[in-house]
């Protein structure tokens, strides 16, 4: 079976697919304008995801990232239902699986699938052609540097409702181009896979990439999400906008930090939700510090002076990681599509429900690892559910964390948490 592509004789916003002239490309040209390729043999890496068959070809592909793709498709579909339209730009599309799913499941009106590697061209086109023929004008394939393709669309005033930038490491160079090319009210889905920076092991690197000097903290994976959101918030403010996080997702493979943000008109002129996070190694408590407190930072467990036990990271996003109402809509849509319970584990449902629980406005940033609490208290840790229940009875907010399985997000101070844990163990011994 042959797929025919029109050559680069029309602008990016047209329905044609674009492959630059390259004599080493696998695309075989039949005439001056019509490159023709033969799909690779089936044994070259075909997969099925949510019922959609696709080829990975030679592109990098992680099956473990399917959950992140699920979340993106649900969000894109909700945007289409709410706004009646959906134009998607997949700036670093790889084999095109995300673009395929935005077309097939989110029913995007148009998808621009871009990847800088021309070698992936035949695979991307083959995958997208499973949903819609090139002549229908619902998709275009380009092979440009991501910033170039986004700025080309920006200069043509061809804006998008949903932009997916699934970048590697801490490459934040795409953020300003992506924001510029996004419609107001549009959704930006961005990625970081830099666990070293989020762990505080490369503070100068995180400062260069996201404008945040990050130090080692017990909840470094949550810091990674806040570092990424903060970087986008900074870039948006430069352009006169502000962002709202709709969900923030961490996956240990990679690791992968993915956040979905809505772009809003206008700057926020106060420093709300953008400041500094401090963690005290002496008492185990965390604190938020505002810009006007710089030079006066200390922990109440010691003296008013700056203590060596207090480490500070920032500036970071300190506000909510999720929008509970939005997550509820995503979960309802997943149920409508039959995605809940189909794997026998309800893993997607559990994830979204955990995110909803984490959205409690009473919960601060960070979480308490039960191992750390037990080590400080010199006791065996009580069951997580029992500890959370006891916290609730004492009036504290508490939830599990989707980031760390053996941790609790809570506004309960570490000292009080230790006290509650010891009381639970005493009751257990008495029984």
């Amino acid at each position: 079976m042959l797929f025919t592509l029109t050559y680069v004789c029309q602008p990016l916003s047209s329905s044609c697919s674009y492959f630059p002239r390259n004599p080493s490309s696998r695309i075989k040209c039949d005439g001056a304008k019509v490159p023709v390729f033969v799909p690779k043999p089936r044994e070259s890496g075909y997969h099925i995801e949510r019922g959609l068959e696709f080829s990975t070809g030679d592109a990098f592909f992680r099956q473990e990232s399917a959950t992140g793709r699920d979340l993106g498709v649900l969000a894109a579909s909700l945007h289409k239902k709410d706004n009646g339209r959906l134009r998607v730009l997949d700036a670093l599309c790889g084999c095109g699986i995300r673009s395929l799913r935005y077309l097939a499941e989110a029913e995007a009106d148009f998808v621009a699938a871009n990847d800088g590697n021309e070698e992936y061209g035949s695979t991307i086109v083959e995958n997208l052609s499973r949903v819609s023929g090139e002549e229908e004008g619902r998709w275009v394939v380009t092979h440009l540097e991501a910033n170039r393709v986004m700025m080309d669309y920006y200069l043509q005033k061809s804006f998008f409702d949903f932009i997916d930038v699934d970048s590697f490491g801490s490459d934040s160079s795409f953020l300003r181009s992506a924001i510029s090319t996004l419609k107001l009210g549009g959704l930006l889905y961005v990625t970081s896979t830099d666990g070293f920076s989020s762990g505080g092991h490369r503070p100068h690197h995180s400062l260069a990439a996201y404008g945040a000097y990050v130090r080692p903290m017990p909840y470094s994976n949550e810091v990674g999400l806040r570092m990424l959101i903060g970087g986008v918030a900074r870039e948006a403010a430069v352009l006169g906008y502000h962002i709202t996080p709709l969900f923030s997702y961490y996956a240990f493979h990679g690791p992968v930090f993915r956040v979905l943000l809505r772009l809003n008109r206008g700057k926020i002129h106060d420093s709300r939700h953008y400041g500094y996070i401090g963690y005290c190694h002496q008492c185990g408590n965390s604190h938020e510090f505002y810009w006007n407190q710089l030079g006066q930072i200390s922990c109440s467990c010691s003296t008013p002076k700056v203590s060596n036990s207090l480490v500070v990271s920032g500036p970071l996003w300190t506000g909510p990681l999720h929008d509970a109402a939005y997550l509820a809509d995503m979960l309802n849509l997943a149920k409508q599509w039959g995605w809940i319970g189909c794997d026998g584990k309800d893993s997607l449902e559990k994830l979204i429900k955990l995110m909803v629980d984490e959205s409690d406005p009473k919960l601060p940033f960070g979480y308490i690892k039960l191992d750390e609490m037990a080590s400080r208290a010199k006791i065996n840790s009580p069951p997580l559910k029992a500890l959370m229940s006891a916290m609730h009875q004492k009036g504290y907010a508490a939830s599990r964390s989707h980031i760390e399985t053996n941790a609790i997000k809570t506004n309960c101070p570490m000292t009080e948490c230790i006290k509650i844990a010891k009381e639970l163990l005493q009751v257990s011994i008495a029984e």
Side-chain angles (χ1 to χ4, degrees):
M1 180 179 181
L2 299 180
F3 296 95
T4 303
L5 307 177
T6 308
Y7 199 59
V8 57
C9 51
Q10 301 182 37
L12 282 174
S13 57
S14 72
S15 61
C16 76
S17 295
Y18 163 56
F19 292 93
R21 295 180 184 274
N22 184 343
S24 65
S25 173
R26 294 184 182 181
I27 300 168
K28 306 301 181 183
C29 290
D30 181 13
K33 292 187 178 179
V34 187
V36 178
F37 72 90
V38 179
K40 297 175 185 177
R42 176 165 291 276
E43 58 268 19
S44 295
Y46 280 75
H47 302 263
I48 295 178
E49 190 166 291
R50 294 295 183 191
L52 292 171
E53 186 180 46
F54 63 98
S55 170
T56 58
D58 297 326
F60 177 77
F61 172 75
R62 269 201 180 112
Q63 184 61 48
E64 299 90 341
S65 296
T67 299
R69 292 188 286 270
D70 284 347
L71 295 172
V73 168
L74 289 169
S77 181
L78 286 176
H79 192 88
K80 172 73 179 283
K81 293 177 186 298
D82 291 341
N83 296 275
R85 66 176 189 277
L86 180 63
R87 281 173 50 86
V88 177
L89 171 56
D90 190 356
L92 299 161
C93 72
C95 69
I97 174 57
R98 292 186 306 278
S99 297
L100 171 63
R101 295 190 61 183
Y102 290 135
L103 275 174
E105 296 170 311
E107 300 181 345
D109 302 294
F110 177 75
V111 172
N114 178 75
D115 195 276
N117 193 332
E118 296 178 30
E119 297 294 311
Y120 302 161
S122 59
T123 299
I124 300 167
V125 174
E126 179 187 353
N127 287 333
L128 299 186
S129 296
R130 295 172 182 274
V131 176
S132 171
E134 180 266 334
E135 68 281 356
E136 296 178 39
R138 289 186 61 199
W139 52 265
V140 63
V141 175
T142 55
H143 295 293
L144 299 171
E145 195 273 331
N147 277 317
R148 162 75 186 278
V149 76
M150 287 189 282
M151 292 314 295
D152 279 355
Y153 279 116
Y154 168 75
L155 291 172
Q156 296 176 35
K157 299 188 184 302
S158 180
F159 301 105
F160 288 84
D161 302 290
F162 191 106
I163 297 180
D164 188 328
V165 186
D166 191 17
S167 55
F168 179 77
S170 55
D171 191 345
S172 60
S173 63
F174 310 117
L175 295 179
R176 192 169 300 186
S177 300
I179 294 169
S180 297
T181 315
L182 192 63
K183 294 179 182 179
L184 285 174
L187 305 181
L188 179 59
Y189 197 24
V190 290
T191 308
S192 169
T193 60
D194 188 358
F196 286 103
S197 291
S198 66
H201 305 298
R202 297 193 297 185
H204 295 287
H205 190 85
S206 63
L207 183 63
Y210 301 107
Y213 194 89
V214 175
R215 307 282 300 281
M217 292 182 168
Y219 37 84
S220 60
N221 292 326
E222 182 174 318
V223 169
L225 293 171
R226 296 186 177 281
M227 177 181 71
L228 178 56
I229 298 171
V232 181
R234 183 185 64 165
E235 293 294 335
V238 169
L239 297 173
Y241 307 119
H242 68 279
I243 51 94
T244 302
L246 299 179
F247 68 75
S248 307
Y249 169 60
Y250 166 80
F252 68 89
H253 69 272
V256 177
F257 306 89
R258 295 224 75 182
V259 297
L260 182 75
L261 309 164
R262 176 177 286 132
L263 184 66
N264 308 297
R265 185 190 299 276
K267 295 181 182 180
I268 297 178
H269 294 286
D270 60 20
S271 57
R272 179 176 47 178
H273 303 326
Y274 189 63
Y276 294 83
I277 290 174
Y279 172 77
C280 181
H281 286 282
Q282 180 171 304
C283 66
N285 290 329
S286 296
H287 309 273
E288 179 178 358
F289 299 104
Y290 298 99
W291 293 83
N292 58 4
Q293 294 176 285
L294 294 179
Q296 307 170 34
I297 293 175
S298 64
C299 182
S300 57
C301 74
S302 56
T303 65
K305 298 180 180 179
V306 175
S307 170
N308 291 331
S309 65
L310 184 67
V311 294
V312 179
S313 295
L316 302 164
W317 178 260
T318 59
L321 293 176
H322 319 288
D323 183 311
Y326 191 84
L327 287 167
D329 290 340
M330 289 177 62
L331 183 57
N332 289 334
L333 182 59
K335 290 177 180 178
Q336 292 173 26
W337 286 356
W339 285 8
I340 303 302
C342 60
D343 60 358
K345 301 178 182 178
D346 293 335
S347 54
L348 183 62
E349 180 180 25
K350 290 178 181 178
L351 171 65
I352 295 178
K353 285 185 174 179
L354 276 178
M355 289 178 171
V356 171
D357 291 343
E358 290 175 327
S359 304
D360 186 339
K362 296 178 183 178
L363 293 174
F365 56 84
Y367 45 75
I368 293 177
K369 292 181 179 179
L370 266 60
D371 291 343
E372 180 193 357
M373 182 274 298
S375 176
R376 287 179 176 275
K378 296 180 173 54
I379 59 173
N380 292 324
S381 176
L384 186 146
K385 287 185 178 180
L387 186 57
M388 284 179 54
S389 178
M391 287 178 174
H392 288 148
Q393 290 176 11
K394 290 184 177 291
Y396 293 107
S399 82
R400 300 190 66 161
S401 167
H402 89 274
I403 299 171
E404 185 77 33
T405 56
N406 195 38
I408 297 176
K409 286 188 68 66
T410 181
N411 57 357
C412 179
M414 176 65 80
T415 51
E416 185 65 18
C417 182
I418 290 173
K419 180 180 177 181
I420 293 172
K422 288 181 176 180
E423 289 174 354
L424 286 173
L425 291 177
Q426 290 174 357
V427 171
S428 177
I429 294 172
E431 292 177 349

